[in-house]
Amino acid sequence: MTSFRWGSALHVGQVRQVNQDHVHAEDGLFAVADGMGGHRAGEVASEVAIGTLVEEFTERSPEQLVTAVQEANAQVVRLAQDNAELRGMGTTISALALASDDGRDVLAVANVGDSRTYLLRAESEELEQVTEDHSLVATLERQGQLTRDEAAVHPQRNILTRALGIDGKVLVDLWELEPVKGDRYLLCSDGLFNEVDEARIAAVLRRLAEPDEAAAELVRLANEHGGRDNISVVIVDVVDAATDGGVAPGRVRRVTHGETRDGAAAEPIPARKAPAPPPSDDADEPSPAKAATAKGPRSRLTWRVGAFVIALLVVVGGTVAVVSWVHGNTYYVGIEGDEVVIFEGPVGGTLWLEPTVVATTGITADEVPAGMENDLDGGMAFTSRAEADAYVATLQDEIDRVADETDAGAGIGGVLGGGGSTTTTARPPTTPVDPATGVTPPPPTTLVP
Ligand code: MG
């Protein structure tokens, strides 16, 4: 019988006025959600997501945990559609649940966004991240374009590629893990791991046995290192389980459920594996009898040339596939001439593929608020056209807000999501450059928590 001991801590941090994180910790279901969206909308998104998850997770199966997260997504989308002041809200969610799979206890972990679930293994005391972040930098890291250390300090590390509330359909990552006595799980929002490195987090988790005490210490450290975001921490210890160690490899099973907004599959995995090396010379050394024949050395040469050609084709084919995929799944908003436009492709292009303008916005460079100029000069990158459109909508809202304040004689604020008044001014739709690529603009949102 699997049982737990747990503790949690939640803090607004040193900079933010509002706590948009929510946590849930009760026997058998634990979750962290990090909301986004101005005017307290993010607070609503994370609260609604957790509330819906708790309500929906009744059958206690891994698949139903995914369904519950999808229902939480649908609920956030519905609320945002029905309430103008909640427009653009979204939230991450990372959930750990005790579930039953064919009568066997399993720990199901579901994740969308960049909140994380970690595991400190009982047998090794090593900390490992169970979930994968759905963020721009995590995607670049998986593609080998950034190291983990570079991703950890990247200025665009808070741009998400997946979140609840953005679209009616959401892809949910699911892992199934075997409960092991002594294992310790940590669920947290980015307010923790952006401030405290993983070595320090692991040290606290090893040192403090009481979950509440360890959670409070992690929050204290995050605040001490700046506390620039809301901080939430849930710690779950497996107190009893059918397995108490000596666990075979492969106790973690990963499944991905759901569909993306365009029905596309999950990211392709670049061909990283080189072909198996040819046998060593010793093993491949022909016997004296074979060496005496003319065919021996020639067939070895042919085999090696063939292997080389195959390896080359795999590398070239893989590179073409990865570059094409990256190009077709990356957009950025930047300035072309004097106008803000949407480009397809990464900033600066990928090898032989240059970014191309796919939509104009009608916004001139002069209109861009001071706080956003630098972002656009460098190019704001996104992994879908919908997200780029959403950013343009946010930009237009900000321009309108600054103009309204100027008209009213008020001071100019001017940073994205900076707590200005809500405006409902209709934005000019972006104009597709190629009519064939025209899409209906999605509900405006920003993916910057
Ligand atoms: Mg956060």
Side-chain angles (χ1 to χ4, degrees):
M1 184 68 185
T2 307
S3 62
F4 306 99
R5 180 178 53 171
W6 64 91
S8 62
L10 187 65
H11 198 275
V12 69
Q14 303 299 304
V15 175
R16 303 276 175 104
Q17 301 297 312
V18 176
N19 199 337
Q20 299 193 322
D21 286 2
H22 274 89
V23 304
H24 179 79
E26 65 166 7
D27 200 4
L29 181 59
F30 309 91
V32 164
D34 179 352
M36 66 199 79
H39 319 296
R40 296 184 178 263
E43 197 185 359
V44 173
S46 59
E47 186 175 13
V48 165
I50 295 245
T52 308
L53 176 78
V54 173
E55 261 176 40
E56 295 290 323
F57 185 61
T58 51
E59 290 171 19
R60 307 261 159 181
S61 71
E63 290 72 23
Q64 210 226 348
L65 184 65
V66 171
T67 310
V69 171
Q70 288 171 330
E71 184 50 42
N73 174 63
Q75 190 64 20
V76 175
V77 168
R78 270 196 292 273
L79 267 180
Q81 283 171 347
D82 294 348
N83 298 276
E85 71 274 18
L86 300 178
R87 192 182 68 169
M89 71 175 175
T91 183
T92 70
I93 196 159
S94 201
L96 167 73
L98 176 62
S100 179
D101 191 2
D102 284 338
R104 195 170 56 91
D105 278 356
V106 294
L107 295 179
V109 172
N111 189 65
V112 176
D114 72 345
S115 294
R116 292 179 179 174
T117 295
Y118 286 96
L119 164 60
L120 186 78
R121 288 182 184 267
E123 67 265 35
S124 65
E125 291 212 316
E126 291 297 322
L127 184 69
E128 61 192 65
Q129 186 179 332
V130 175
T131 51
E132 287 178 1
D133 297 347
H134 302 132
S135 65
L136 183 65
V137 293
T139 304
L140 294 173
E141 189 186 328
R142 286 193 285 274
Q143 291 166 356
Q145 296 184 42
L146 286 179
T147 66
R148 190 163 180 87
D149 288 346
E150 286 168 344
V153 296
H154 197 281
Q156 292 182 339
R157 64 183 178 276
N158 58 348
I159 293 180
L160 299 185
T161 53
R162 226 191 275 175
L164 303 189
I166 305 306
D167 192 85
K169 289 180 177 174
V170 67
L171 195 66
V172 180
D173 288 348
L174 172 72
W175 290 262
E176 288 179 27
L177 300 98
E178 187 171 344
V180 176
K181 186 177 176 179
D183 276 358
R184 170 169 266 194
Y185 287 85
L186 163 68
L187 287 73
C188 60
S189 62
D190 62 344
L192 174 66
F193 58 78
N194 279 341
E195 302 291 9
V196 186
D197 64 46
E198 288 175 349
R200 281 177 200 229
I201 292 173
V204 170
L205 293 176
R206 287 185 204 110
R207 183 165 56 87
L208 298 175
E210 278 300 319
D212 269 327
E213 201 183 340
E217 175 62 5
L218 290 174
V219 166
R220 190 191 68 76
L221 280 176
N223 275 317
E224 190 178 276
H225 285 83
R228 283 161 284 192
D229 195 359
N230 306 143
I231 311 147
S232 34
V233 173
V234 177
I235 293 174
V236 183
D237 290 339
V238 181
V239 173
D240 207 358
T243 305
D244 62 0
V247 178
R251 74 187 219 201
V252 180
R253 188 161 76 88
R254 189 210 164 153
V255 199
T256 294
H257 286 257
E259 293 177 66
T260 56
R261 93 187 74 228
D262 54 6
E267 300 167 11
I269 300 166
R272 287 202 195 90
K273 282 188 178 170
S280 71
D281 282 354
D282 285 344
D284 203 32
E285 201 60 41
S287 67
K290 282 183 183 169
T293 70
K295 280 190 174 176
R298 176 177 283 183
S299 65
R300 278 182 71 195
L301 184 66
T302 305
W303 186 90
R304 287 188 175 181
V305 169
F308 175 75
V309 170
I310 289 169
L312 194 64
L313 287 175
V314 167
V315 170
V316 170
T319 304
V320 169
V322 169
V323 167
S324 303
W325 183 86
V326 167
H327 194 85
N329 286 276
T330 312
Y331 295 82
Y332 73 92
V333 181
I335 293 173
E336 169 95 334
D338 188 38
E339 190 181 0
V340 176
V341 298
I342 299 176
F343 292 92
E344 184 183 68
V347 179
T350 320
L351 298 181
W352 63 92
L353 290 177
E354 292 290 325
T356 50
V357 176
V358 290
T360 57
T361 65
I363 300 172
T364 65
D366 292 346
E367 293 178 287
V368 177
M372 299 171 83
E373 278 173 349
N374 284 346
D375 288 344
L376 292 178
D377 282 345
M380 284 296 290
F382 303 93
T383 52
S384 75
R385 171 65 191 278
E387 288 158 13
D389 282 336
Y391 178 82
V392 170
T394 312
L395 174 63
Q396 184 62 56
D397 277 354
E398 186 59 17
I399 291 168
D400 293 341
R401 188 182 70 79
V402 171
D404 287 349
E405 285 186 359
T406 306
D407 288 348
I412 296 176
V415 293
L416 186 58
S421 60
T422 306
T423 71
T424 51
T425 312
R427 66 185 171 90
T430 55
T431 309
V433 169
D434 175 2
T437 65
V439 291
T440 307
T445 180
T446 175
L447 284 171
V448 181

mmCIF file of all heavy atoms in Angstrom, residues 16 20-21 34-35 92 114-115 158 189-192 194 228-232 449, ligand 1:
data_model
loop_
_atom_site.group_PDB
_atom_site.id
_atom_site.type_symbol
_atom_site.label_atom_id
_atom_site.label_comp_id
_atom_site.label_asym_id
_atom_site.label_seq_id
_atom_site.Cartn_x
_atom_site.Cartn_y
_atom_site.Cartn_z
ATOM 1 N N ARG A 16 6.957 40.719 -7.319
ATOM 2 C CA ARG A 16 5.570 40.728 -7.792
ATOM 3 C C ARG A 16 4.603 41.183 -6.702
ATOM 4 O O ARG A 16 4.843 40.945 -5.510
ATOM 5 C CB ARG A 16 5.165 39.322 -8.258
ATOM 6 C CG ARG A 16 6.063 38.736 -9.345
ATOM 7 C CD ARG A 16 5.617 39.217 -10.700
ATOM 8 N NE ARG A 16 6.530 38.778 -11.748
ATOM 9 C CZ ARG A 16 6.264 37.782 -12.586
ATOM 10 N NH1 ARG A 16 5.143 37.109 -12.485
ATOM 11 N NH2 ARG A 16 7.136 37.473 -13.524
ATOM 12 N N GLN A 20 0.408 34.562 -8.579
ATOM 13 C CA GLN A 20 -0.379 33.892 -9.619
ATOM 14 C C GLN A 20 -0.166 32.382 -9.611
ATOM 15 O O GLN A 20 -0.696 31.677 -10.440
ATOM 16 C CB GLN A 20 -0.022 34.462 -10.998
ATOM 17 C CG GLN A 20 -0.331 35.956 -11.114
ATOM 18 C CD GLN A 20 -0.280 36.448 -12.541
ATOM 19 O OE1 GLN A 20 0.562 36.030 -13.329
ATOM 20 N NE2 GLN A 20 -1.184 37.335 -12.884
ATOM 21 N N ASP A 21 0.632 31.887 -8.662
ATOM 22 C CA ASP A 21 0.831 30.435 -8.515
ATOM 23 C C ASP A 21 -0.268 29.865 -7.613
ATOM 24 O O ASP A 21 -0.762 30.564 -6.713
ATOM 25 C CB ASP A 21 2.172 30.133 -7.835
ATOM 26 C CG ASP A 21 3.376 30.363 -8.749
ATOM 27 O OD1 ASP A 21 3.177 30.787 -9.906
ATOM 28 O OD2 ASP A 21 4.506 30.104 -8.290
ATOM 29 N N ASP A 34 1.259 27.672 -12.423
ATOM 30 C CA ASP A 34 1.860 29.014 -12.481
ATOM 31 C C ASP A 34 1.092 29.803 -13.540
ATOM 32 O O ASP A 34 1.245 29.581 -14.734
ATOM 33 C CB ASP A 34 3.346 28.838 -12.852
ATOM 34 C CG ASP A 34 4.078 30.170 -12.971
ATOM 35 O OD1 ASP A 34 3.428 31.226 -12.917
ATOM 36 O OD2 ASP A 34 5.306 30.134 -13.143
ATOM 37 N N GLY A 35 0.250 30.720 -13.071
ATOM 38 C CA GLY A 35 -0.630 31.434 -13.982
ATOM 39 C C GLY A 35 0.056 32.587 -14.689
ATOM 40 O O GLY A 35 1.075 33.104 -14.226
ATOM 41 N N THR A 92 0.534 27.084 -16.392
ATOM 42 C CA THR A 92 1.232 25.806 -16.462
ATOM 43 C C THR A 92 0.542 24.857 -15.492
ATOM 44 O O THR A 92 -0.243 25.297 -14.657
ATOM 45 C CB THR A 92 2.686 25.944 -15.992
ATOM 46 O OG1 THR A 92 2.697 26.167 -14.578
ATOM 47 C CG2 THR A 92 3.386 27.106 -16.688
ATOM 48 N N ASP A 114 6.154 24.959 -17.989
ATOM 49 C CA ASP A 114 7.521 24.865 -17.469
ATOM 50 C C ASP A 114 7.608 24.790 -15.955
ATOM 51 O O ASP A 114 8.669 25.033 -15.383
ATOM 52 C CB ASP A 114 8.393 26.007 -17.996
ATOM 53 C CG ASP A 114 8.029 27.341 -17.362
ATOM 54 O OD1 ASP A 114 6.949 27.450 -16.743
ATOM 55 O OD2 ASP A 114 8.829 28.286 -17.487
ATOM 56 N N SER A 115 6.484 24.463 -15.290
ATOM 57 C CA SER A 115 6.638 24.062 -13.895
ATOM 58 C C SER A 115 7.210 22.649 -13.926
ATOM 59 O O SER A 115 7.105 21.968 -14.937
ATOM 60 C CB SER A 115 5.293 24.095 -13.168
ATOM 61 O OG SER A 115 4.834 25.427 -13.091
ATOM 62 N N ASN A 158 11.482 32.511 -20.141
ATOM 63 C CA ASN A 158 10.093 32.427 -19.673
ATOM 64 C C ASN A 158 9.071 32.358 -20.807
ATOM 65 O O ASN A 158 7.886 32.419 -20.565
ATOM 66 C CB ASN A 158 9.777 33.592 -18.732
ATOM 67 C CG ASN A 158 10.006 34.927 -19.401
ATOM 68 O OD1 ASN A 158 10.599 34.976 -20.480
ATOM 69 N ND2 ASN A 158 9.539 35.982 -18.792
ATOM 70 N N SER A 189 7.308 25.713 -9.158
ATOM 71 C CA SER A 189 7.186 26.649 -10.275
ATOM 72 C C SER A 189 8.570 27.205 -10.601
ATOM 73 O O SER A 189 9.534 26.991 -9.855
ATOM 74 C CB SER A 189 6.216 27.785 -9.912
ATOM 75 O OG SER A 189 6.725 28.519 -8.813
ATOM 76 N N ASP A 190 8.673 27.934 -11.716
ATOM 77 C CA ASP A 190 9.989 28.421 -12.150
ATOM 78 C C ASP A 190 10.557 29.473 -11.196
ATOM 79 O O ASP A 190 11.748 29.777 -11.263
ATOM 80 C CB ASP A 190 9.932 28.959 -13.591
ATOM 81 C CG ASP A 190 8.998 30.144 -13.757
ATOM 82 O OD1 ASP A 190 8.162 30.382 -12.866
ATOM 83 O OD2 ASP A 190 9.097 30.836 -14.792
ATOM 84 N N GLY A 191 9.713 30.010 -10.304
ATOM 85 C CA GLY A 191 10.213 30.941 -9.299
ATOM 86 C C GLY A 191 11.243 30.306 -8.389
ATOM 87 O O GLY A 191 12.054 31.001 -7.767
ATOM 88 N N LEU A 192 11.245 28.962 -8.293
ATOM 89 C CA LEU A 192 12.278 28.287 -7.494
ATOM 90 C C LEU A 192 13.532 28.037 -8.334
ATOM 91 O O LEU A 192 14.612 28.526 -8.017
ATOM 92 C CB LEU A 192 11.755 26.949 -6.942
ATOM 93 C CG LEU A 192 12.845 26.137 -6.225
ATOM 94 C CD1 LEU A 192 13.329 26.841 -4.968
ATOM 95 C CD2 LEU A 192 12.351 24.735 -5.873
ATOM 96 N N ASN A 194 14.585 29.054 -11.190
ATOM 97 C CA ASN A 194 15.273 30.183 -11.837
ATOM 98 C C ASN A 194 16.156 30.941 -10.846
ATOM 99 O O ASN A 194 17.029 31.707 -11.246
ATOM 100 C CB ASN A 194 14.270 31.151 -12.467
ATOM 101 C CG ASN A 194 13.787 30.654 -13.825
ATOM 102 O OD1 ASN A 194 14.430 29.804 -14.443
ATOM 103 N ND2 ASN A 194 12.651 31.174 -14.286
ATOM 104 N N ARG A 228 12.406 36.954 -7.793
ATOM 105 C CA ARG A 228 11.835 37.806 -8.838
ATOM 106 C C ARG A 228 10.505 37.304 -9.391
ATOM 107 O O ARG A 228 9.913 37.919 -10.257
ATOM 108 C CB ARG A 228 12.856 37.956 -9.974
ATOM 109 C CG ARG A 228 13.964 38.924 -9.629
ATOM 110 C CD ARG A 228 15.157 38.747 -10.482
ATOM 111 N NE ARG A 228 15.907 37.567 -10.082
ATOM 112 C CZ ARG A 228 17.133 37.285 -10.500
ATOM 113 N NH1 ARG A 228 17.734 38.075 -11.339
ATOM 114 N NH2 ARG A 228 17.757 36.187 -10.087
ATOM 115 N N ASP A 229 10.074 36.157 -8.903
ATOM 116 C CA ASP A 229 8.812 35.589 -9.381
ATOM 117 C C ASP A 229 8.127 34.941 -8.180
ATOM 118 O O ASP A 229 8.722 34.790 -7.123
ATOM 119 C CB ASP A 229 9.124 34.537 -10.465
ATOM 120 C CG ASP A 229 7.909 34.154 -11.279
ATOM 121 O OD1 ASP A 229 6.806 34.666 -11.008
ATOM 122 O OD2 ASP A 229 8.062 33.327 -12.206
ATOM 123 N N ASN A 230 6.881 34.556 -8.380
ATOM 124 C CA ASN A 230 6.194 33.796 -7.333
ATOM 125 C C ASN A 230 6.886 32.432 -7.188
ATOM 126 O O ASN A 230 7.382 31.887 -8.159
ATOM 127 C CB ASN A 230 4.728 33.549 -7.712
ATOM 128 C CG ASN A 230 3.975 34.825 -8.067
ATOM 129 O OD1 ASN A 230 3.134 34.804 -8.962
ATOM 130 N ND2 ASN A 230 4.271 35.920 -7.392
ATOM 131 N N ILE A 231 6.899 31.942 -5.960
ATOM 132 C CA ILE A 231 7.616 30.690 -5.684
ATOM 133 C C ILE A 231 6.639 29.686 -5.083
ATOM 134 O O ILE A 231 5.996 29.989 -4.071
ATOM 135 C CB ILE A 231 8.758 30.920 -4.663
ATOM 136 C CG1 ILE A 231 9.609 32.124 -5.078
ATOM 137 C CG2 ILE A 231 9.612 29.666 -4.513
ATOM 138 C CD1 ILE A 231 10.162 32.901 -3.900
ATOM 139 N N SER A 232 6.520 28.510 -5.694
ATOM 140 C CA SER A 232 5.704 27.469 -5.057
ATOM 141 C C SER A 232 6.431 26.142 -5.068
ATOM 142 O O SER A 232 7.082 25.785 -6.043
ATOM 143 C CB SER A 232 4.332 27.346 -5.703
ATOM 144 O OG SER A 232 4.379 27.593 -7.042
ATOM 145 N N PRO A 449 4.837 34.337 -18.752
ATOM 146 C CA PRO A 449 4.229 34.381 -17.431
ATOM 147 C C PRO A 449 4.798 35.500 -16.570
ATOM 148 O O PRO A 449 5.878 35.977 -16.816
ATOM 149 C CB PRO A 449 4.571 33.021 -16.812
ATOM 150 C CG PRO A 449 5.680 32.467 -17.599
ATOM 151 C CD PRO A 449 5.705 33.187 -18.935
HETATM 152 MG MG MG B 1 6.564 31.708 -12.578
#
